[in-house]
Amino acid sequence: VTQELMRQLVLFNFGKLKKIAITSKPKVIDLVKVALDMDGVWDPEFGDKMQIANKAADLLQTKSAMIKEYFAIDIDADGRLCALPHVLQDYIPPLSRLPLFLLRLATDVEWEYEQMCFDTLSRELADLYAFPDTLPADDAEKQQGEGGSQFAVCPLATQQPTQKTEVSTQMTADALRTQSEAVLSGGPSRHLKWLIQHVVLPASRTVLVPPKTWATDGTVIQVACL
């Protein structure tokens, strides 16, 4: 559900997305190399890893003006990733997904045809921003009943919205190699639960247009008939 919500939010805010500034500005080619080193991503039949990484980085560089204008993905002249779109209030996507996201931007987006380009690119962004199927365990929650607080505090809830959100997390290629997919840069699981309750559910009621397939594939289940 969150994947479809993110896709629709990207398209709804097409050309007017705010930015999440990435202060460390990692090089796109370095992140693509990280993706190619992941299990099951690269096969010798695909060719030399370095050549693939160079082609992917070069392609994204040539598309940088367009993806910056319409999707707030900012790649500077030196090939560094400077910003991502701020798709959902108070939420930063798992940074461990960035390498594969950039590789898929270069290989899976249909760049030749405008409508298909926007559609496939929005789906890749939705994959990047989608919430995990299961929430990671939060140590603070495990300690409830042992003197811990029973109330979750959202670390970003009191911040005023701005045009640009800073991400101070160091995103070096070496750090991303070891970062677990389950680690959420946006905060612990209780923050994610707060987002689901106070941001995702309200957005789903007001923005989300459920696809017709949800009525038959089990995504949406009728619990009462009034």
Side-chain angles (χ1 to χ4, degrees):
V1 174
T2 59
Q3 185 180 43
E4 180 62 21
L5 173 63
M6 299 299 179
R7 187 187 74 86
Q8 293 186 21
L9 284 172
V10 168
L11 293 176
F12 182 76
N13 294 292
F14 180 78
K16 53 184 179 181
L17 287 159
K18 297 177 183 179
K19 291 182 180 180
I20 300 173
I22 302 173
T23 56
S24 56
K25 299 181 180 180
K27 298 203 73 171
V28 169
I29 191 169
D30 290 337
L31 296 179
V32 172
K33 289 178 186 177
V34 172
L36 291 170
D37 286 338
M38 293 178 177
D39 292 339
V41 174
W42 176 80
D43 188 280
E45 295 181 357
F46 299 157
D48 181 72
K49 282 186 181 180
M50 193 61 196
Q51 290 183 356
I52 296 173
N54 279 320
K55 287 182 179 180
D58 289 344
L59 174 62
L60 295 180
Q61 189 69 57
T62 62
K63 305 296 183 182
S64 60
M66 185 271 284
I67 60 178
K68 178 181 179 180
E69 179 178 359
Y70 297 124
F71 296 98
I73 302 171
D74 189 358
I75 298 174
D76 67 14
D78 295 324
R80 295 182 178 276
L81 183 63
C82 301
L84 290 170
H86 195 180
V87 177
L88 186 68
Q89 174 190 346
D90 291 341
Y91 178 59
I92 297 170
L95 302 183
S96 57
R97 295 179 182 173
L98 267 182
L100 197 56
F101 165 70
L102 291 171
L103 177 62
R104 289 175 63 88
L105 273 191
T107 60
D108 290 13
V109 170
E110 178 53 72
W111 296 103
E112 296 299 322
Y113 304 98
E114 184 176 273
Q115 185 173 350
M116 292 182 65
C117 173
F118 294 156
D119 180 64
T120 52
L121 207 157
S122 66
R123 291 183 186 278
E124 294 303 328
L125 278 169
D127 285 344
L128 173 65
Y129 283 80
F131 285 18
D133 293 333
T134 57
L135 298 182
D138 185 42
D139 291 338
E141 292 176 351
K142 293 178 182 178
Q143 295 173 1
Q144 287 183 12
E146 300 177 4
S149 171
Q150 59 178 322
F151 299 103
V153 178
C154 173
L156 300 180
T158 58
Q159 294 184 0
Q160 295 297 317
T162 59
Q163 286 295 114
K164 183 180 289 187
T165 300
E166 293 278 336
V167 179
S168 59
T169 305
Q170 289 299 312
M171 297 200 314
T172 63
D174 289 339
L176 283 167
R177 286 180 192 274
T178 57
Q179 187 180 20
S180 168
E181 177 65 21
V183 175
L184 297 172
S185 61
S189 64
R190 60 179 178 174
H191 174 53
L192 204 60
K193 292 175 182 176
W194 185 95
L195 285 173
I196 291 173
Q197 180 180 356
H198 298 283
V199 179
V200 173
L201 290 180
S204 298
R205 296 189 192 103
T206 58
V207 177
L208 181 64
V209 179
K212 293 181 179 179
T213 55
W214 283 10
T216 56
D217 64 5
T219 302
V220 177
I221 300 175
Q222 182 174 338
V223 295
C225 183
L226 303 178

